[in-house]
Short mmCIF file of all heavy atoms in Angstrom, two decimals:
data_model
loop_
_atom_site.label_atom_id
_atom_site.label_comp_id
_atom_site.label_asym_id
_atom_site.label_seq_id
_atom_site.Cartn_x
_atom_site.Cartn_y
_atom_site.Cartn_z
N ASN D 9 -8.25 -3.92 1.55
CA ASN D 9 -8.54 -4.97 0.58
C ASN D 9 -9.84 -5.62 0.99
O ASN D 9 -9.87 -6.43 1.91
CB ASN D 9 -7.39 -5.99 0.55
CG ASN D 9 -7.66 -7.11 -0.44
OD1 ASN D 9 -8.63 -7.07 -1.19
ND2 ASN D 9 -6.81 -8.13 -0.42
N LYS D 11 -11.47 -7.71 -0.61
CA LYS D 11 -11.58 -9.08 -1.14
C LYS D 11 -12.98 -9.26 -1.75
O LYS D 11 -13.52 -8.31 -2.32
CB LYS D 11 -11.26 -10.11 -0.05
CG LYS D 11 -9.91 -9.80 0.62
CD LYS D 11 -9.39 -10.90 1.48
CE LYS D 11 -8.05 -10.49 2.08
NZ LYS D 11 -7.42 -11.54 2.89
N HIS D 97 -1.49 -11.19 -4.73
CA HIS D 97 -1.97 -11.54 -3.39
C HIS D 97 -1.83 -13.05 -3.20
O HIS D 97 -2.02 -13.82 -4.14
CB HIS D 97 -3.43 -11.09 -3.23
CG HIS D 97 -3.87 -11.14 -1.81
ND1 HIS D 97 -4.22 -12.33 -1.20
CD2 HIS D 97 -3.97 -10.18 -0.86
CE1 HIS D 97 -4.53 -12.07 0.07
NE2 HIS D 97 -4.38 -10.78 0.30
N GLU D 99 -3.75 -15.12 -2.00
CA GLU D 99 -4.96 -15.87 -2.38
C GLU D 99 -4.97 -16.14 -3.89
O GLU D 99 -5.41 -17.19 -4.35
CB GLU D 99 -6.21 -15.11 -1.92
CG GLU D 99 -6.35 -15.18 -0.40
CD GLU D 99 -6.99 -13.97 0.25
OE1 GLU D 99 -7.65 -13.17 -0.44
OE2 GLU D 99 -6.81 -13.81 1.48
N GLU D 169 2.98 -9.84 3.31
CA GLU D 169 1.84 -10.48 3.97
C GLU D 169 2.18 -11.94 4.27
O GLU D 169 2.01 -12.81 3.39
CB GLU D 169 0.60 -10.42 3.07
CG GLU D 169 0.15 -9.02 2.72
CD GLU D 169 -1.34 -8.96 2.37
OE1 GLU D 169 -1.81 -9.78 1.57
OE2 GLU D 169 -2.01 -8.11 2.95
N ALA D 173 -0.52 -15.26 8.73
CA ALA D 173 -1.13 -14.18 9.51
C ALA D 173 -2.36 -13.60 8.82
O ALA D 173 -2.99 -12.69 9.35
CB ALA D 173 -0.11 -13.06 9.75
N ILE D 174 -2.71 -14.14 7.64
CA ILE D 174 -3.83 -13.55 6.89
C ILE D 174 -5.14 -14.19 7.32
O ILE D 174 -5.32 -15.41 7.21
CB ILE D 174 -3.64 -13.74 5.37
CG1 ILE D 174 -2.40 -12.96 4.90
CG2 ILE D 174 -4.88 -13.29 4.60
CD1 ILE D 174 -2.09 -13.13 3.43
N GLY D 175 -6.04 -13.37 7.83
CA GLY D 175 -7.37 -13.84 8.19
C GLY D 175 -7.37 -14.83 9.34
O GLY D 175 -8.37 -15.48 9.60
N THR D 176 -6.25 -14.94 10.03
CA THR D 176 -6.15 -15.94 11.09
C THR D 176 -6.26 -15.30 12.48
O THR D 176 -6.37 -16.02 13.47
CB THR D 176 -4.77 -16.64 11.04
OG1 THR D 176 -3.76 -15.62 11.12
CG2 THR D 176 -4.60 -17.40 9.74
N GLY D 213 0.81 -6.67 5.92
CA GLY D 213 -0.56 -7.17 5.89
C GLY D 213 -0.67 -8.50 6.61
O GLY D 213 0.23 -9.34 6.52
N GLY D 214 -1.76 -8.67 7.32
CA GLY D 214 -2.00 -9.92 8.06
C GLY D 214 -2.56 -9.59 9.42
O GLY D 214 -1.80 -9.28 10.34
N SER D 215 -3.90 -9.61 9.53
CA SER D 215 -4.58 -9.37 10.81
C SER D 215 -4.23 -8.02 11.44
O SER D 215 -4.15 -7.91 12.66
CB SER D 215 -4.31 -10.52 11.78
OG SER D 215 -4.81 -11.74 11.25
N VAL D 216 -4.04 -7.01 10.59
CA VAL D 216 -3.89 -5.65 11.13
C VAL D 216 -5.25 -5.19 11.63
O VAL D 216 -6.28 -5.40 10.98
CB VAL D 216 -3.39 -4.66 10.04
CG1 VAL D 216 -3.40 -3.22 10.57
CG2 VAL D 216 -1.99 -5.04 9.57
N LEU D 234 -1.70 -3.25 4.52
CA LEU D 234 -2.72 -3.75 3.59
C LEU D 234 -3.67 -4.58 4.45
O LEU D 234 -3.25 -5.58 5.04
CB LEU D 234 -2.06 -4.59 2.48
CG LEU D 234 -3.00 -5.20 1.43
CD1 LEU D 234 -3.85 -4.15 0.74
CD2 LEU D 234 -2.18 -5.97 0.38
N VAL D 235 -4.90 -4.12 4.53
CA VAL D 235 -5.81 -4.59 5.58
C VAL D 235 -7.01 -5.30 4.97
O VAL D 235 -7.69 -4.73 4.12
CB VAL D 235 -6.29 -3.39 6.42
CG1 VAL D 235 -7.11 -3.87 7.61
CG2 VAL D 235 -5.12 -2.53 6.87
N GLY D 236 -7.27 -6.52 5.41
CA GLY D 236 -8.44 -7.26 4.93
C GLY D 236 -9.63 -7.05 5.85
O GLY D 236 -10.32 -6.02 5.78
N GLY D 237 -9.88 -8.00 6.73
CA GLY D 237 -11.08 -8.01 7.58
C GLY D 237 -11.39 -6.68 8.25
O GLY D 237 -12.54 -6.22 8.23
P1 13P X 301 -6.61 -9.79 7.03
O1 13P X 301 -6.37 -8.36 7.44
O2 13P X 301 -8.07 -10.17 7.03
O3 13P X 301 -5.75 -10.74 7.80
O4 13P X 301 -6.16 -9.90 5.49
C1 13P X 301 -4.92 -9.43 5.12
C2 13P X 301 -4.86 -9.40 3.65
O5 13P X 301 -4.83 -10.43 3.00
C3 13P X 301 -4.90 -8.09 2.98
O6 13P X 301 -4.60 -8.21 1.63
#
Side-chain angles (χ1 to χ4, degrees):
N9 179 7
K11 308 192 180 184
H97 193 281
E99 288 148 18
E169 299 205 311
I174 295 178
T176 56
S215 299
V216 173
L234 179 56
V235 186

